[in-house]
Amino acid sequence: MSQDRREAARIAVEIPVIVTDGAKTSRFLALDVSRKGMFIKSDAPSPMRRILRLSLPMPDGSADLQVLALVVHRVSVEQALTRGVAPGMGVHLYGVGPVAKQRWEAYLETLASMSGGASSARLVTKYPGPPPIDAVKRRYERFHLELEAQLIGDELESARTIDVSAGGTLLSSSRALELGSKLDLILLHPQGETRFTANARVARVVDAADGKWDVGLEFLDLDDARRAELRRFIESCLPEPMFDDELVVLEADDPLLA
């Protein structure tokens, strides 16, 4: 087998992985791993070119393998529903030192022997501790995005989004809105006068302490064309990734990942 084919060979597994993206850490399932990386199942995949920190439990009980990974492929919830596949993100290992590389390749050999080879039925491994979430719950992809918003109901007030999708948004508000009430929502673009307006229903209200309330809004009466317009608006609000095009290959392992 050639070097390229050997590195690209995928092992059909479901393995637990802890993903840290900025300040947020979550537990997921990784699928179809190879020497280059893996596919991580999620209904809110990270943006392209984002660098993530991964932690993988080792089957021999040794310390978790800590590596960096670069997002190189994304499948949104909408795309997954159309194609009949799992949503999530494909990641390539990034800046792996020699010790981490050796541990990763030994781990892959263990998985391959447990599964009977790359073409066998999918192997499901056990998770030492709280189980990973099956991170496919939403119909629409959710974006962690802070935008200024205006709420027009009985009165006009300002709020800020916590996350936004084509189905609704989670807001931080200074008051508890009435559950089930309807209002007009205006989302303001952070870099200009562009805005998106929608009718919405208050679907959830949670006391977030410090005088703030987390308010979940469900968008009403959006057809496919309007949802596509909202998706374009959301994507235009996302910050540009700030990473070089070249992958970093380390001559020594990063002590922070040891």
Side-chain angles (χ1 to χ4, degrees):
M1 180 182 295
S2 70
Q3 177 74 9
D4 288 343
R5 289 182 62 189
R6 183 178 67 85
E7 290 188 351
R10 293 181 297 175
I11 304 171
V13 296
E14 288 186 1
I15 61 174
V17 57
I18 299 173
V19 178
T20 300
D21 183 352
K24 183 178 181 181
T25 298
S26 305
R27 299 186 306 275
F28 296 118
L29 288 174
L31 314 176
D32 300 329
V33 302
S34 74
R35 279 178 168 79
K36 290 184 176 181
M38 67 192 73
F39 184 83
I40 298 173
K41 188 178 179 183
S42 171
D43 67 359
S46 299
M48 289 287 290
R49 310 298 293 173
R50 176 72 60 84
I51 294 180
L52 310 174
R53 186 184 299 267
L54 308 183
S55 178
L56 295 122
M58 295 289 97
D60 61 2
S62 61
D64 289 1
L65 175 61
Q66 308 277 344
V67 294
L68 299 179
L70 182 73
V71 179
V72 297
H73 174 64
R74 300 174 80 255
V75 179
S76 69
V77 174
E78 296 93 329
Q79 292 169 332
L81 291 173
T82 301
R83 302 174 188 173
V85 298
M89 52 192 168
V91 301
H92 279 182
L93 301 189
Y94 183 95
V96 178
V99 174
K101 181 175 182 292
Q102 183 179 20
R103 292 188 70 201
W104 173 244
E105 291 183 345
Y107 181 46
L108 291 180
E109 290 177 3
T110 300
L111 291 178
S113 64
M114 292 171 62
S115 66
S119 60
S120 67
R122 188 174 299 280
L123 168 71
V124 180
T125 64
K126 298 295 184 180
Y127 193 86
I133 62 173
D134 184 2
V136 183
K137 303 180 179 67
R138 291 174 170 79
R139 183 179 176 188
Y140 303 106
E141 182 177 2
R142 177 183 47 176
F143 295 87
H144 299 291
L145 189 60
E146 187 174 334
L147 300 175
E148 184 179 351
Q150 294 178 347
L151 309 177
I152 305 174
D154 295 335
E155 56 186 271
L156 174 65
E157 67 175 283
S158 296
R160 296 197 71 84
T161 65
I162 298 172
D163 60 52
V164 188
S165 77
T169 181
L170 179 65
L171 298 166
S172 176
S173 174
S174 59
R175 71 183 182 95
L177 302 182
E178 182 181 353
L179 193 64
S181 62
K182 297 181 180 180
L183 50 80
D184 291 327
L185 171 70
I186 302 176
L187 298 175
L188 304 179
H189 198 287
Q191 298 178 353
E193 298 181 355
T194 307
R195 58 184 59 195
F196 185 89
T197 303
N199 297 323
R201 178 181 67 86
V202 178
R204 183 163 65 98
V205 180
V206 177
D207 187 350
D210 298 326
K212 296 290 185 180
W213 297 81
D214 289 348
V215 179
L217 298 182
E218 176 188 5
F219 296 141
L220 302 175
D221 304 323
L222 292 186
D223 57 20
D224 290 344
R226 284 280 287 157
R227 290 194 196 279
E229 180 185 348
L230 174 56
R231 173 71 182 234
R232 291 191 295 270
F233 175 84
I234 293 171
E235 291 179 344
S236 72
C237 295
L238 295 174
E240 291 292 331
M242 300 178 64
F243 302 112
D244 296 333
D245 290 336
E246 295 296 326
L247 291 180
V248 176
V249 178
L250 302 180
E251 295 182 359
D253 288 88
D254 187 341
L256 295 177
L257 298 176

